[in-house]
Amino acid sequence: MRTQVAIVGAGPAGLVLSHLLHLRGIDSVVLELRSRDYVEQRVRAGVLEQGTVELLQATGVGERLGRQGMVHHGIELRFGGRRHRIPLTELTGRSITIYGQQEIVKDLIRARLEAGGTVLFEVEGVRLQGLASDRPVVSYRHGGQDVELACDLVAGCDGYHGVCRDAIPAGTLTVYERLYPFAWLGVLAAVAPSAEEIVYTSHQRGFALHSMRSPELTRLYLQVDPDEPIERWPDERIWEELQTRLATEDGWTLGEGPILEKGVSAMRSFVVEPMQFGRLFLAGDAAHIVPATGAKGMNLAIADVQVLAEALATWYRTGEDGLLGGYSAACLRRVWRVQDFSAWMTGMLHRYPDDDGFQRRLRRARLEYVAGSEAAARSLAENYVGLERV
Ligand code: APR
Ligand code: PHB
């Protein structure tokens, strides 16, 4: 088998890349470990920067997003029992849209298959060979057959736990990493959202987040200990803790409903440099992870593949490899800006086990500054709605 670009992973990075390449007349094959059902049902991120929305709409995969996405013009910061709105649109002229990552994945898979694209699910044993040559080969097992896929380049879009990053020879990559001393317990509840905008709460018992997926579905998160067993969080305890952390002085109430889904996710910051080795280009979570507090992971993954698609198009059209050679550096500039923003948001809103009174007061001062100063709020807003794209 042969293709121009072999793409490992059918998350937002791999699927958007395959779609953008198709629009530029470049052929690709997407290889996904999980089943189609699994990737389409997996509940993940849900906040889209305006730049992400514009890209999906401009490339013909934003129709349902336009109908069902919830456009938001602000977010709320809650602390000391008070609410403070950050008017994103007033401060930046831009907005964000809430639309589940798995909905984007569904829209893109459908678009790729309707256009005659190849997206293979339940692909096992992916191995990359010849990355330092100009004839890489991806071998894998699919439908009981061993396959060798010859290609010009490989895009490693297989997430943090994927195999592509590990195919790069030891010592080639520099890894930068921070683990946070807490995790997020996330739930999806069948109840109308209790607030019109996303609420980020700093409470002495820990961070809490109120978000949503639709007028009938609320998405909520609680800061918990790292590796917290989910069994320790029966539904009643989750609601009780959310009620405590989200409570305000002005009589706001949190509606409760059946919990449809719950899970604990670690919080980490992670970057590898460079995001390329020979003919392998890493994109999205395969190359970097941000803590979820800034809502940036999916947007960053999509921004990477926009740069990669552009560079590949130029390379195929002209044979010039300048843009492709600059892929990693171009992405890493955005990655580090977003890492800083995500770490800053995380630090401002969470409780740390080694907190002393000094650190708690600094955090409170930071929150009050953002809530009270237009300059500080604008800085948060400009990062939150997202930096300019290519
Ligand atoms: N072979 C093939 N596919 C694989 C392999 C493998 N060995 N390992 C992982 N995959 C698949 C996963 O099943 C997943 O569908 O690669 C895909 C990677 O997708 P994501 O994890 O969604 O990563 P990415 O596309 O970079 O999107 C980043 O995902 O984790 C969230 O918050 C993060 O929103 C961000 C987004
Ligand atoms: C979500 O809706 O899942 C969400 C919102 C904001 C975040 C993280 C996740 O910062």
Side-chain angles (χ1 to χ4, degrees):
M1 235 174 103
R2 194 185 146 77
T3 189
Q4 289 177 292
V5 182
I7 300 175
V8 186
L15 290 166
V16 170
L17 179 62
S18 178
H19 175 63
L20 295 180
L21 292 178
H22 164 70
L23 296 177
R24 290 166 164 89
I26 299 165
D27 185 51
S28 67
V29 169
V30 181
L31 306 172
E32 167 59 47
L33 173 68
R34 306 287 192 161
S35 68
R36 179 172 178 181
D37 206 47
Y38 182 93
V39 298
E40 291 190 346
Q41 301 309 323
R42 180 170 46 184
V43 180
R44 315 271 296 270
V47 177
L48 309 189
E49 296 175 357
Q50 188 169 319
T52 299
V53 173
E54 284 165 357
L55 172 75
L56 296 173
Q57 292 188 330
T59 60
V61 285
E63 193 272 326
R64 199 164 64 95
L65 162 61
R67 272 188 293 119
Q68 297 176 4
M70 307 166 94
V71 180
H72 283 196
H73 299 288
I75 57 170
E76 186 181 316
L77 292 184
R78 202 174 273 194
F79 57 92
R82 300 229 168 105
R83 315 132 146 288
H84 308 268
R85 181 168 189 263
I86 308 289
L88 299 173
T89 305
E90 213 177 290
L91 292 167
T92 65
R94 297 171 81 71
S95 59
I96 52 152
T97 298
I98 302 202
Y99 189 66
Q101 176 170 321
Q102 78 274 29
E103 304 305 323
I104 294 187
V105 164
K106 280 180 206 162
D107 296 342
L108 286 162
I109 290 173
R110 188 174 331 113
R112 288 308 299 121
L113 297 179
E114 277 174 13
T118 309
V119 184
L120 304 179
F121 296 95
E122 298 174 73
V123 167
E124 292 176 333
V126 165
R127 282 182 48 218
L128 316 183
Q129 286 143 334
L131 294 174
S133 76
D134 54 10
R135 290 259 158 273
V137 173
V138 181
S139 57
Y140 57 90
R141 196 165 171 79
H142 184 244
Q145 308 260 25
D146 288 318
V147 185
E148 297 218 318
L149 175 64
C151 55
D152 300 324
L153 306 112
V154 182
C157 304
D158 52 348
Y160 181 68
H161 301 285
V163 294
C164 291
R165 193 176 60 242
D166 293 340
I168 298 175
T172 312
L173 295 180
T174 307
V175 177
Y176 300 90
E177 190 165 27
R178 280 276 181 287
L179 281 168
Y180 295 86
F182 41 76
W184 278 17
L185 167 65
V187 305
L188 187 68
V191 59
S194 301
E196 281 176 11
E197 296 177 334
I198 299 179
V199 181
Y200 288 89
T201 307
S202 168
H203 188 274
Q204 69 246 27
R205 293 179 59 85
F207 170 74
L209 174 58
H210 174 287
S211 181
M212 64 202 73
R213 284 296 176 274
S214 74
E216 299 83 35
L217 285 175
T218 304
R219 181 85 171 134
L220 299 137
Y221 299 91
L222 283 171
Q223 172 183 352
V224 295
D225 288 339
D227 307 314
E228 180 79 341
I230 194 84
E231 301 73 43
R232 293 192 45 201
W233 288 89
D235 296 2
E236 313 75 66
R237 181 175 177 209
I238 293 175
W239 286 117
E240 203 181 297
E241 194 63 30
L242 284 166
Q243 295 287 5
T244 304
R245 295 190 196 177
L246 287 164
T248 65
E249 288 172 350
D250 64 2
W252 178 87
T253 55
L254 172 67
E256 300 186 9
I259 291 183
L260 307 176
E261 248 257 358
K262 57 180 156 181
V264 174
S265 36
M267 295 282 279
R268 76 170 80 230
S269 303
F270 171 86
V271 183
V272 293
E273 292 187 8
M275 291 167 56
Q276 179 207 353
F277 171 76
R279 290 289 178 101
L280 170 65
F281 295 81
L282 299 175
D285 278 15
H288 42 70
I289 298 283
V290 284
T293 328
K296 290 287 160 224
M298 169 170 46
N299 294 292
L300 203 50
I302 291 174
D304 283 351
V305 298
Q306 269 183 282
V307 176
L308 186 54
E310 197 64 44
L312 285 171
T314 302
W315 185 66
Y316 275 113
R317 202 175 59 242
T318 66
E320 281 169 26
D321 59 8
L323 275 187
L324 210 43
Y327 165 74
S328 175
C331 289
L332 286 168
R333 273 192 293 277
R334 172 186 299 268
V335 167
W336 281 110
R337 171 86 293 283
V338 168
Q339 287 289 357
D340 179 45
F341 174 65
S342 303
W344 176 81
M345 282 281 276
T346 303
M348 179 169 72
L349 289 160
H350 289 74
R351 190 184 97 126
Y352 285 69
D354 60 357
D355 265 355
D356 56 16
F358 183 78
Q359 277 164 317
R360 276 198 300 277
R361 278 165 180 75
L362 282 187
R363 222 164 29 241
R364 183 59 171 262
R366 214 189 246 191
L367 282 162
E368 279 173 4
Y369 183 46
V370 172
S373 150
E374 187 178 294
R378 179 171 286 117
S379 166
L380 187 160
E382 116 178 316
N383 282 278
Y384 198 84
V385 300
L387 312 170
E388 291 299 318
R389 301 292 175 93
V390 289

